Amino acid sequence: MKLSSKYLLPFVVILITFASCKKDLLSTNTDPNSVSVAVFDPNNILTATQLYYTGSTDNAIEVEETEIQGAGCFIQHWASTSAYYFGDKYLSSPGGWGSFFDHVYLDQVKNAVDLYTTTTGKPQYANLHQISRIMKALIFERITDVYGDVPYFNAGLAYHGGVYFPVYDKQKDIYTDLLKEVSEAVDSLDENADQPVGDLFYSTSGDQIGEWKKFGNTLLLRMAMRLTKVDPTTAQSYVNKVQGLTMTSNDDNAIVPHGTNDPLTINRIYRGIGEDGATQLSGQISKTFIDFLKNNNDPRLPVLSYVYDTSFQPGDDPYNPPGSADPADQFGLPNGYDAGSTSHGIINYPGYLGNTNLYSRPSPIIFNATAPTLVLTYAESELLLADAAKRWGIGDAKTHYDNGVLAAITELSAYGDAGTISDEDAQAYLDAHPYNDADGLEMINTQFWAATFFNEYEAWSNYRRTGYPVLVPVNYPGSQSPNAIPRRMEYSTVDKQVNSVNYNAAVSALQGGDKITSRVWWDVQ
């Protein structure tokens, strides 16, 4: 979906009008019979915050548009000949690049700040408040990783603080505060205090607060490892701090379940018209990713990918569609091609199958209305620890690598019996791909890329941090980053007009300007 001017102008007018009225507007238009934040149970805000984080809301468009069509294509998990998938060819798409920015502040940040504010200083919500600090950090880490400098310290305070035009804070300052906030929150969690009932991650775990401590320490690890190029000293200090305190098995994975009413469903992959005039299932898996799985005899291949029969149409049963999961039938779509008849048209690709609908797509096992979202996992944690061990000798790289590879394969049981891969098959894969210290960083981070399919922002961030896996960028006419995988996304065109003073100040600090070729603070060359 492209940003339309018919939505932009009213949005600008509303914000300007709202800003001019400020506190008078709030006091004049308060419904005395409404439920205020003073009496509303903040446990419900935690539920909303976690659900919004997955994109499982009416604003799920940002998952499709910015994460899959953008970052997922950058990292060559996804590919498409459709112009909607601007990240496939690094094309100009102001509305697409900024879609995540537009939506995340309206829902994720708003809820996270509400949760934080309404639980501050209330002993009955002691743990919920600490969890709110961790959730805020989880959300803001992703925002700043995508764009760089962003509103942080005063973000989400229009209602609570009358801040309608927040400044864009430096990413260095944001990361410093994120690390502090999560560290303090983890240290403050108390098993004897409240047990939040609105928690989608861990309320049924049996050790809710213990699980949140592991989650927080794993998030600290991830944030610290982001700094390996720009501030290795700080990175090492936090890695040392969380040794033995991160996730210890797939039972610790943070997972959000979904129901059939969530709009993030299999129907989101239908878009456009194929070259045969029929409805096209837009959004294939990249040839890069399929080839990696096939060439390595990866047992995840038949779980993750599926070739839908060309007769499959929107409205058909997404749980039992005609098609094949046979590894021999899986073929990935090459990145960087369009649906035209030029030299960059897919019809001119050597070995073209004759119809884009014959290429692999995410399987109905993992891409359906009730499939869960894996937010942060033990596999990611172990592979990050392996990276730290290889770089700095903190722990044993091989042990963490082995744990990470096995966990990344067996974690797919979260998708049910159809996603379950046996321990024996996982071990056979590991035996065939043993850790080799000479190629340690490449092996570890290539496995991280394989483990984060469908967690595209994270896969892209880790690629920018490490340079792995080794990917061949596309070269397409009109590309905004020719022959180079983009390093960030452009800011919101809405905020450019609504919050122009602070936007311009942020852009002036970007070396190269508001471009997808510019680099965020931690992504030094």
Side-chain angles (χ1 to χ4, degrees), residues 23 32 91 95 104 136 143 181 211 239 251 290 293 299 302 314 317 328 340 345 382-383 406 415 440 485 503:
K23 293 182 180 179
L91 298 175
V104 78
K136 270 186 64 183
I143 303 170
E181 281 291 291
E211 291 293 353
V239 172
D251 291 338
I290 291 292
L293 297 175
D317 182 3
E382 286 298 297
L383 291 169
L406 293 174
Y415 295 103
I485 291 173
Y503 164 85

Side-chain angles (χ1 to χ4, degrees), residues 214-269:
K214 293 178 185 178
F215 179 93
N217 282 314
T218 299
L219 182 59
L220 274 177
L221 169 66
R222 187 172 82 182
M223 293 190 300
M225 291 303 291
R226 238 12 142 243
L227 312 184
T228 52
K229 291 195 294 185
V230 70
D231 189 356
T233 300
T234 297
Q236 290 178 64
S237 69
Y238 277 96
V239 172
N240 278 310
K241 174 182 171 64
V242 301
Q243 287 298 299
L245 302 174
T246 54
M247 295 178 178
T248 58
S249 75
N250 280 337
D251 291 338
D252 299 327
N253 291 347
I255 300 175
V256 173
H258 296 297
T260 54
N261 290 328
D262 291 344
L264 186 65
T265 71
I266 193 171
N267 293 319
R268 301 198 72 77
I269 65 173

Side-chain angles (χ1 to χ4, degrees), residues 133-308:
R133 298 172 79 182
I134 297 171
M135 284 302 305
K136 270 186 64 183
L138 179 73
I139 290 167
F140 274 106
E141 184 201 22
R142 190 161 67 176
I143 303 170
T144 189
D145 285 347
V146 171
Y147 296 105
D149 297 351
V150 294
Y152 173 67
F153 291 103
N154 288 321
L157 293 178
Y159 176 82
H160 297 284
V163 180
Y164 305 104
F165 305 106
V167 300
Y168 286 55
D169 298 293
K170 297 294 184 183
Q171 187 179 57
K172 179 179 180 180
D173 298 334
I174 294 172
Y175 256 89
T176 297
D177 197 66
L178 292 177
L179 290 164
K180 175 192 74 69
E181 281 291 291
V182 176
S183 183
E184 291 179 358
V186 170
D187 291 343
S188 300
L189 286 167
D190 181 1
E191 288 87 349
N192 297 315
D194 58 302
Q195 308 286 311
V197 297
D199 178 16
L200 296 177
F201 290 3
Y202 296 120
S203 62
T204 62
S205 70
D207 183 19
Q208 184 182 24
I209 303 307
E211 291 293 353
W212 269 104
K213 288 183 177 182
K214 293 178 185 178
F215 179 93
N217 282 314
T218 299
L219 182 59
L220 274 177
L221 169 66
R222 187 172 82 182
M223 293 190 300
M225 291 303 291
R226 238 12 142 243
L227 312 184
T228 52
K229 291 195 294 185
V230 70
D231 189 356
T233 300
T234 297
Q236 290 178 64
S237 69
Y238 277 96
V239 172
N240 278 310
K241 174 182 171 64
V242 301
Q243 287 298 299
L245 302 174
T246 54
M247 295 178 178
T248 58
S249 75
N250 280 337
D251 291 338
D252 299 327
N253 291 347
I255 300 175
V256 173
H258 296 297
T260 54
N261 290 328
D262 291 344
L264 186 65
T265 71
I266 193 171
N267 293 319
R268 301 198 72 77
I269 65 173
Y270 309 130
R271 184 184 289 280
I273 302 298
E275 54 265 45
D276 59 357
T279 301
Q280 179 178 343
L281 289 161
S282 247
Q284 289 87 346
I285 302 178
S286 170
K287 181 178 188 298
T288 305
F289 191 54
I290 291 292
D291 285 356
F292 173 83
L293 297 175
K294 289 182 74 170
N295 294 341
N296 290 287
N297 196 28
D298 197 308
R300 287 170 286 196
L301 180 59
V303 174
L304 298 177
S305 64
Y306 195 84
V307 177
Y308 290 80

Side-chain angles (χ1 to χ4, degrees), residues 81 272-280 284 333 338-340 346-347 352-359:
T81 58
I273 302 298
E275 54 265 45
D276 59 357
T279 301
Q280 179 178 343
Q284 289 87 346
L333 186 73
D338 59 36
I346 190 63
I347 61 174
Y352 176 53
L353 299 180
N355 188 319
T356 55
N357 286 338
L358 298 176
Y359 289 90

